[in-house]
Amino acid sequence: MLHKINHIGIAVQSIAATLPFYRDSLGMTCLGEEEVAEQQVKVAMLAIGESKIELLEPTSADSAVAKFLEKNGQGIHHIAYEVGDIEAAIAALLADGAKMIDAAPRAGAHGSRIAFVHPRSSHGVLTELCQAGH
Ligand code: CMX
């Protein structure tokens, strides 16, 4: 069902302040920045081998990422797994009794379709299913 880790999301106060560490000190390639209005975040994607690091900066004080930062401070926010068929993956998880935040896929960054599993079902780790856009 899962192909690989697509990306790891990291919540940050400021992408501008964080990017130099990942891009310049760690030497990752920045693939671009984008605002995902539906999620009330600005994201910067960095490539590391087959996987990516997604820096998440909230654009609104009542967004999911702003609440996370308030409660936990900066740090790892979610793990996103790549799937070939996101509808089938959601159906399989629901059939196993998992609580989905998204019972149907929604739009993610770069034309992808995404769905989140509630962290209470995934033992404390916010888990994202991600089907790449074509
Ligand atoms: N990782 C692990 N646990 C998390 C979490 C995270 N990132 N975010 C929230 N939680 C936990 C909280 O600690 C809390 O746990 P307890 O009940 O044990 O205290 C519980 O989930 C509920 O959290 P809350 O602060 O009360 O917040 P909400 O219920 O309002 O929302 C959640 C929680 C997960 C449903 C919401 O953050 C959500 O819908 N997230 C998915 C969307 C998202 O995160 N988008 C941003 C990134 C988008 C992108 O990648 O493009």
Side-chain angles (χ1 to χ4, degrees), residues 12 30 44 64 67 73 79 91-92 118:
V12 300
C30 183
K67 280 197 211 169
I79 297 181
H118 198 284

Side-chain angles (χ1 to χ4, degrees), residues 39 54 64-65 67-68 71 77-78 101 116 119-120 124 126:
Q39 300 286 321
E54 180 184 55
V65 173
K67 280 197 211 169
F68 176 90
K71 190 171 174 185
H77 179 263
H78 66 266
I101 294 167
F116 284 94
R120 276 184 208 130
L126 180 60

Side-chain angles (χ1 to χ4, degrees), residues 1-4 81-83 89 129:
M1 184 166 90
L2 307 180
H3 293 176
K4 61 180 181 181
Y81 299 99
E82 196 165 305
V83 296
L129 307 175

Side-chain angles (χ1 to χ4, degrees), residues 6-7 34 36 38-39 43 45 52 54 78 80-83 86-87 104-116 128-134:
N6 180 282
H7 65 266
E34 184 180 341
V36 184
E38 200 195 336
Q39 300 286 321
V43 309
M45 276 292 189
K52 285 169 285 201
E54 180 184 55
H78 66 266
Y81 299 99
E82 196 165 305
V83 296
I86 193 163
E87 278 88 359
R106 54 170 145 159
H110 309 293
S112 62
R113 293 192 306 143
I114 63 172
F116 284 94
E128 178 183 339
L129 307 175
C130 173
Q131 185 173 350
H134 296 291

